Amino acid sequence: ASFAFILTEVLILCDASLNNITVNLPAAAGNQARLTIKKIDSSGNTVTVDGAGSETIDGGATSVISTQYNSITVISDGNNWHII
């Protein structure tokens, strides 16, 4: 088993009321952070969370948040991001 120690926790509040927005994640390699991305507006616009380069988020290139107050929290395994 491998263990990851969280050194940094970041909260990103996203207001997509004017247009769709994209949050670009930093490189997973060497990143010991837990990032929470939350959509705070009620519009029909989306917040797309995008891994760096070819890195994935739970196996996919992106994760989309489309509902107000929904969020995802991701951690890195050193190669890709995982939703927890």
Side-chain angles (χ1 to χ4, degrees):
S2 63
F3 296 92
F5 295 95
I6 305 301
L7 298 179
T8 304
E9 186 163 356
V10 177
L11 170 62
I12 302 168
L13 299 176
C14 301
D15 183 346
S17 57
L18 296 180
N19 56 314
N20 297 322
I21 60 174
T22 300
V23 175
N24 296 301
L25 296 177
N31 199 323
Q32 296 180 336
R34 178 167 57 184
L35 306 166
T36 299
I37 301 96
K38 181 172 186 164
K39 182 179 186 307
I40 60 171
D41 67 277
S42 62
S43 74
N45 296 326
T46 61
V47 175
T48 300
V49 183
D50 191 4
S54 63
E55 293 175 356
T56 62
I57 303 166
D58 275 0
T62 62
S63 181
V64 177
I65 306 168
S66 56
T67 305
Q68 184 179 26
Y69 303 130
N70 279 4
S71 66
I72 64 167
T73 299
V74 294
I75 59 168
S76 166
D77 67 2
N79 295 304
N80 293 290
W81 293 94
H82 299 277
I83 297 173
I84 57 169

